[in-house]
C-alpha cells in the first residue's frame, strides 16, 4: 500500500512521491485524532467517574500540601471543587480548610476569607486550635489590606473561641483589634453593641487605665447616640476609677 510505496520512493530517491506519502500520513493522523477528540467531548462522565476523579484530585492536593507545593495543591483543589459543584455536593469543611491554607500560603487573603466563611458556616463557629490559627492568619492578612468589614466577623469568632478557652488576655487583644476595625467603618452603633463587655475584661486582667479609657469612650458614644442616662452613668464610673488610680 502507501507504506510500501513510500519505502520504494525513499530507495529510488523519488522526493515528490515521498512528500506526497508523508502528507497523506499526516492528514490521516490529524483526522483520526480529531475524530477521537470529538468522541471524547461527546462522552459525558458518569456520576461515579466524576466522583472518583474528584477524590483522586483531593488525594493529589493533600500530597502536594504535604510537600508544601501550594500552587499545585490549589490547582488540584480548584478542579476538585468544580467537580463537586457538578455533582451538586457540598465540600467537606476539612477540605475547604486545606484550600484556605493554600490560599493563605499563596497570599490570596480575600479569597481565603471567602472560603473560610464556608468552613465557619459548616462548623457553626471555630472548633479546635488549628482552625483558630488559620483564622488568625487570615485576620492578619486582612488587617494589612485594611479590609475591616471582612475582618469583623472573623474577629468575633476568635473572640468567642477565646471566651470558651477562658483566655482573658487574648479576649482583651481581640477586643482592641475589633474596636480598631469598627472605628475604621465610621459606625457608632456596632461599637456600643459589640464592645460593651470589654471594660469587664480590662477589670479582670487588672488594666485599670485601659478600663478607664474604654468607659470614657463608651460614654462619648452613648452621648452621641442620645442615650444621656447611660452616658452619665459611664462618666461617673470613669471618674470613680480616676479617683482610685
Amino acid at each position: 500500500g502507501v507504506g510500501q510505496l513510500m519505502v520504494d520512493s525513499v530507495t529510488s530517491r523519488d522526493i515528490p512521491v515521498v512528500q506526497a506519502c508523508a502528507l497523506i500520513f499526516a492528514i490521516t493522523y490529524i483526522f483520526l485524532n480529531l475524530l477521537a477528540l470529538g468522541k471524547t467531548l461527546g462522552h459525558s462522565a458518569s456520576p461515579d467517574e466524576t466522583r472518583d476523579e474528584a477524590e483522586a484530585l483531593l488525594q493529589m492536593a493533600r500530597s502536594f500540601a504535604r510537600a508544601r507545593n501550594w500552587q499545585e495543591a490549589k490547582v488540584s483543589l480548584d478542579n476538585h471543587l468544580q467537580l463537586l459543584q457538578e455533582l451538586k455536593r457540598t465540600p467537606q469543611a476539612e477540605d475547604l480548610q486545606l484550600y484556605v491554607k493554600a490560599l493563605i500560603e499563596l497570599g490570596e487573603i480575600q479569597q481565603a476569607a471567602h472560603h473560610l466563611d464556608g468552613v465557619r458556616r459548616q462548623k457553626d463557629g471555630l472548633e479546635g486550635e488549628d482552625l483558630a490559627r488559620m483564622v488568625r492568619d487570615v485576620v492578619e492578612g486582612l488587617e494589612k489590606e485594611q479590609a475591616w468589614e471582612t475582618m469583623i466577623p472573623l474577629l468575633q469568632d476568635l473572640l468567642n473561641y477565646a471566651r470558651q478557652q477562658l483566655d482573658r488576655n487574648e479576649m482583651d487583644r481581640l477586643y482592641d483589634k475589633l474596636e480598631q476595625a469598627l472605628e475604621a467603618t465610621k459606625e457608632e452603633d456596632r461599637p456600643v453593641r459589640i464592645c460593651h463587655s470589654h471594660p469587664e475584661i480590662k477589670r479582670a486582667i487588672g488594666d485599670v487605665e485601659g478600663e478607664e479609657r474604654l468607659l470614657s469612650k463608651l460614654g462619648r458614644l452613648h452621648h452621641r447616640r442620645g442615650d444621656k442616662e447611660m452616658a452619665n452613668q459611664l462618666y461617673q464610673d470613669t471618674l470613680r476609677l480616676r479617683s482610685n488610680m
Side-chain angles (χ1 to χ4, degrees):
V2 177
Q4 186 60 51
L5 176 61
M6 188 172 185
V7 171
D8 293 342
S9 299
V10 170
T11 304
S12 63
R13 299 181 182 278
D14 190 345
I15 302 302
V17 175
V18 172
Q19 290 176 331
C21 291
L23 183 61
I24 291 171
F25 283 132
I27 292 172
T28 303
Y29 176 80
I30 292 170
F31 173 75
L32 291 175
N33 275 277
L34 289 174
L35 184 63
L37 178 63
K39 289 183 177 180
T40 301
L41 293 175
H43 169 69
S44 58
S46 68
D48 287 342
E49 290 173 331
T50 304
R51 187 166 50 250
D52 291 343
E53 185 180 354
E55 182 61 28
L57 286 165
L58 179 59
Q59 295 304 322
M60 286 174 59
R62 289 171 177 169
S63 298
F64 284 128
R66 284 192 291 270
R68 301 192 64 78
N69 187 342
W70 297 110
Q71 185 61 54
E72 293 300 331
K74 177 183 177 296
V75 171
S76 298
L77 286 166
D78 279 333
N79 291 321
H80 169 73
L81 294 173
Q82 184 176 350
L83 290 177
L84 288 186
Q85 189 175 9
E86 291 176 13
L87 291 168
K88 297 182 179 179
R89 290 178 54 186
T90 303
Q92 296 294 315
E94 291 74 16
D95 302 334
L96 281 176
Q97 279 184 241
L98 181 61
Y99 191 48
V100 171
K101 175 67 174 173
L103 291 168
I104 292 171
E105 293 291 338
L106 294 171
E108 300 180 24
I109 299 300
Q110 291 283 354
Q111 280 295 312
H114 172 72
H115 289 282
L116 190 56
D117 190 55
V119 179
R120 291 166 55 239
R121 284 199 303 270
Q122 283 195 38
K123 289 182 173 287
D124 192 24
L126 301 189
E127 292 181 1
E129 183 59 29
D130 287 344
L131 181 54
R133 189 181 304 112
M134 190 175 294
V135 175
R136 291 188 199 105
D137 289 341
V138 172
V139 165
E140 183 178 343
L142 291 172
E143 186 174 8
K144 290 177 182 176
E145 297 180 5
Q146 298 186 355
W148 308 116
E149 282 291 352
T150 310
M151 275 178 61
I152 289 169
L154 297 177
L155 284 169
Q156 288 179 284
D157 275 353
L158 287 172
L159 186 59
N160 290 333
Y161 179 73
R163 187 176 288 112
Q164 292 170 7
Q165 304 300 309
L166 302 178
D167 189 342
R168 292 190 178 92
N169 287 312
E170 178 65 4
M171 288 174 67
D172 180 50
R173 188 186 72 83
L174 291 166
Y175 266 125
D176 285 340
K177 283 189 175 294
L178 191 52
E179 287 161 12
Q180 178 189 2
L182 288 167
E183 285 176 5
T185 64
K186 306 298 184 183
E187 289 190 39
E188 294 185 357
D189 287 340
R190 282 196 298 177
V192 171
R193 187 174 65 254
I194 293 174
C195 301
H196 68 279
S197 299
H198 194 185
E200 297 175 15
I201 302 302
K202 290 288 189 186
R203 191 178 310 123
I205 64 176
D207 184 359
V208 180
E209 291 183 2
E211 183 185 358
E212 183 269 334
R213 175 183 57 80
L214 278 169
L215 289 172
S216 179
K217 179 180 177 180
L218 287 170
R220 290 193 300 273
L221 289 172
H222 278 286
H223 183 77
R224 284 201 293 266
R225 296 175 70 216
D227 190 349
K228 294 184 178 180
E229 182 178 352
M230 178 58 71
N232 287 333
Q233 179 62 53
L234 289 165
Y235 286 145
Q236 290 174 18
D237 292 341
T238 302
L239 291 172
R240 184 165 54 252
L241 271 178
R242 286 176 181 171
S243 65
N244 294 330
M245 287 171 63

